[in-house]
Amino acid sequence: MFTTLNLAALLTATLATLGLVVSIFVGSRNLGNFDPALIAYLFGCIFACFGVVYRYIVWLQRPPTWRYFVRGWQLFFSGKAIVYGWELTKHFVVNFLGQRFIRNRGKALGYGHFLMAWGCMLAFAVTFPLVFGWIHFGLKPGGIDTYEIYTFGFKTAEFPLHTWIATLIFNALNWSAILVIAGVMLLMRRRLTHAGQIAIQTFENDWLPLLLLLAISVTGIGISLDYKLMEGRAHQFMAITHAITVILFLIWMPFGKFFHIIQRPAQLGIAIYRKAGAEGPQAVCPHTGEEFLPGMQVDDLKTVTAQLGCDFTRKDGKSHLDYSPRGKRALLARAHLKARAESGRYFG
Amino acid sequence: MGLRMNAFRTDQEFFLDPQRCIGCHACEMACAECETNGQLPMIHVDYVDRYFTPQTSVQICMHCEDPVCAKVCPAVAIEKDEYGIVHTAKTDRCIACSNCVNACPFGVPRKIQPMDLMVKCNMCYDRTSAGKKPMCATVCPSGALFYGTREEMTRKRPNSSPVNSFKFGKQTVKTRVNIMMPKGATELVVDDSE
């Protein structure tokens, strides 16, 4: 077992996890502001932290990933930080916050994912600081109608109870659950009706994540509905099932589909790479005579394929990677024609 | 792979004979009907060198045994399944870097920039997983694209041999899809042809 351990990943993940534990101690003022009822969630988060960092570092070490990672930072610090920073900001707003590229893949997918992602992001923003004891609430001394918000032990805001602000804040996780449920419904409908999706979907990759998010959201709303409509009679059931589903989500995060939440920001690096490539010299396909790719990417691809044990170098010293996709297809067709011609029969 | 009962016919193979392509684009129209493609044709029909010759060629994904597209993918978005089908990029992972598009020695994957996504032929998985033939092979009028058993192919083309080994420079690539070559051939060398 230990022979398959990745030392760099193990060290980084251990350091990151220790860092998280220290920040929890410091941020919660030696656990003074930590809510013991959330202890199970805390252990889930710590495990997720270790697992996510471990997998991320393993993933980063793959030759193509590492190439893009290094190039991305090289470009960012190449003296054009403002230009690339602006490019990153645009990409972040349009494709991360707005998720336009997902809508371009399909309306149902786009709107479903948008609702689900924003529901999750809102839930993360509320849950993690609460679980870590970084944020807590308290009644303002000397009265019973004002709540105070403490961040890392410092008072950061206050708001009156029985107002729309209080309703918004206290139900933040309910709003996120409603967003997630709406998104999950749209995506489940798509998975039930789209023939192409039905053909290629798997339970583990496509249905389990949706079912898990639905279970988390329904049990989460259930806690609120229980104490509002059922006088808390089902509190234990709701609280335990909600905790189980959330902890399952956290434990599964490093392994399953949810890892794409961590992986996706790599797309930002590609945005810089693309911009830098477009501004630099372009590779020209020897067959079509047309520009088809930034020269930097062709060179990087040659390095990466060599690292992966692939050698597309031809006898004449050129590489197949110097050809555009259309050029490569033409090379194949011409080689096939040549082989047929040499055999004396064009068909057979 | 799918949730429904899988009826993939492992006795059937794809046989490609670019020399027979007449450039009618019927395969392209049929390919766009495939539900998994989102109505985008994944097959390539090209004039090889239009200025000098009317030769046309057709190219589907060859479904390599050790797909270089998957190896160069920084996001681990491309996977091969238990039937040897190299699937199109996973939508949650693909970051549209174009590495696969440019590393594929057959020039198959294409990038759809507005979607930030690579797409490619998955051998009509919605059909083949249900025991049917890929769309392109069902409509090809000239026999450039054939999907069936090896015995059927041998009967149809007694003077040709199916080959699934290619040499691109120093790199040997073995594929699930066969190309029909002169009888007795074991490899197609794609090198000093330019």
Side-chain angles (χ1 to χ4, degrees), chain A residues 296-310:
Chain A
M296 174 175 72
Q297 190 166 3
V298 173
D299 292 340
D300 281 348
L301 209 47
K302 285 178 186 169
T303 308
V304 167
T305 47
Q307 287 169 339
L308 292 165
C310 301

Side-chain angles (χ1 to χ4, degrees), chain A residues 168-182:
Chain A
L168 267 183
I169 293 176
F170 287 141
N171 288 292
L173 286 175
N174 288 336
W175 309 134
S176 69
I178 289 168
L179 289 174
V180 171
I181 290 171

Side-chain angles (χ1 to χ4, degrees), chain B residues 46 62 79 84 120 163:
Chain B
D46 297 302
M62 302 300 282
E79 288 179 356
K120 65 176 268 301
V163 163

Side-chain angles (χ1 to χ4, degrees), chain A residues 252-321:
Chain A
W252 194 42
M253 194 180 226
F255 309 105
K257 187 168 189 171
F258 294 125
F259 188 67
H260 82 272
I261 299 168
I262 313 293
Q263 218 173 13
R264 180 52 66 177
Q267 201 172 352
L268 291 172
I270 298 298
I272 296 183
Y273 190 85
R274 200 177 291 145
K275 185 169 177 61
E279 288 167 352
Q282 302 297 300
V284 176
C285 174
H287 176 76
T288 63
E290 292 169 5
E291 293 179 350
F292 69 101
L293 200 68
M296 174 175 72
Q297 190 166 3
V298 173
D299 292 340
D300 281 348
L301 209 47
K302 285 178 186 169
T303 308
V304 167
T305 47
Q307 287 169 339
L308 292 165
C310 301
D311 189 354
F312 290 105
T313 313
R314 298 157 32 127
K315 283 180 194 159
D316 60 5
K318 284 184 195 163
S319 168
H320 276 270
L321 297 171

Side-chain angles (χ1 to χ4, degrees), chain A residues 59 62 65 68 104-105 201 205 264 267 274 287 297 310-311 313-314 320 328-329 332 334 336 348, chain B residues 46 48 59 73-74 90-92 94 96-97 99 102 107 113-116 157 160 171 180 190-191:
Chain A
W59 171 60
R62 296 180 74 252
T65 321
Y68 275 122
N104 288 341
R105 295 175 181 182
Q201 67 192 351
N205 265 325
R264 180 52 66 177
Q267 201 172 352
R274 200 177 291 145
H287 176 76
Q297 190 166 3
C310 301
D311 189 354
T313 313
R314 298 157 32 127
H320 276 270
K328 289 186 185 110
R329 295 195 296 271
L332 185 86
R334 289 166 62 139
H336 187 250
Chain B
D46 297 302
V48 176
Q59 189 66 56
C73 175
K90 289 187 168 207
T91 52
D92 56 320
C94 180
C97 68
N99 265 10
N102 294 290
Q113 190 57 59
M115 297 184 187
D116 265 356
R157 309 269 183 269
S160 292
Q171 187 65 36
M180 297 309 290
V190 187
D191 205 330

